[in-house]
Amino acid sequence: MSDNAIGPRVRALFGGSERSLVAAYRRFFVDLDVLADRLRSGVTASRILDMGCGEGLFTEKLARAYPEARITGIDITPRVGRLFVGDRNRVSFRQETAESLSRELPGGFDLIVVCDVLHHIPWSSRPGVLGFVRCLLSTGGLIVVKDWERRPNLVHLLGYLSDRWLTGDRIRYARQEELRDVLAGAFGAGAIKEEFRLPPWRNNTVFFVRPG
């Protein structure tokens, strides 16, 4: 998020209602409960990284889905994990990049979630960032990449304008085939094991990736 982002200032106006309003805003665009349920029902993990976790609302869903796991959320924002409610003894937040964490904890996680992060990263930097993600993954672990696909519909325009305005970042969304190419380049041909969409919009695309 840019230092000039207007989002935190707007949200501060809502006081004690901020958390519920932020959750409702995000839920309009994507139902992340569906993703958390899918992970809980089909993916075993004990050491989880939520990369680009923001203020921790999806990290909270991961913590409920994996009540025995140790979970780390990282983001470059100083507001990292601010809205998280849950067990801070097993869930921690760090203002840190994937690059610096990969030097400290190579192979440290068996599940890494990258949720709505890639479109905030400059196009030329994405392979490098994903390389650090791969370094953080344990052998046989799973990387989950969820992003917003560029599609010719009205909700995409609304998503772009709100994301650009609230974060101040120079957003660049990709098409499904572009996302596949980026992931294949970073993790190897055949690394994508599953693709699916999340409600309520088909713009929400998810990849389950096991690097070769």
Side-chain angles (χ1 to χ4, degrees), residues 160-176:
Y160 170 79
L161 291 175
S162 63
D163 212 355
R164 180 75 176 89
W165 180 68
L166 290 171
T167 68
D169 291 346
R170 294 187 176 276
I171 307 298
R172 182 175 174 183
Y173 298 100
R175 296 301 305 273
Q176 186 86 343

Side-chain angles (χ1 to χ4, degrees), residues 6 17 42 72 81 86 95 100 107 110 124 141 147 152-153 155 173 177:
I6 196 172
S17 301
T72 302
Q95 185 183 2
S100 62
D110 49 18
S124 61
D147 216 71
N153 55 16
V155 74
Y173 298 100
E177 58 270 21

Side-chain angles (χ1 to χ4, degrees), residues 100-122:
S100 62
L101 188 63
S102 69
R103 291 194 293 267
E104 178 185 346
L105 295 172
F109 303 94
D110 49 18
L111 173 61
I112 300 177
V113 180
V114 185
C115 184
D116 286 326
V117 172
L118 285 185
H119 58 264
H120 291 277
I121 299 173

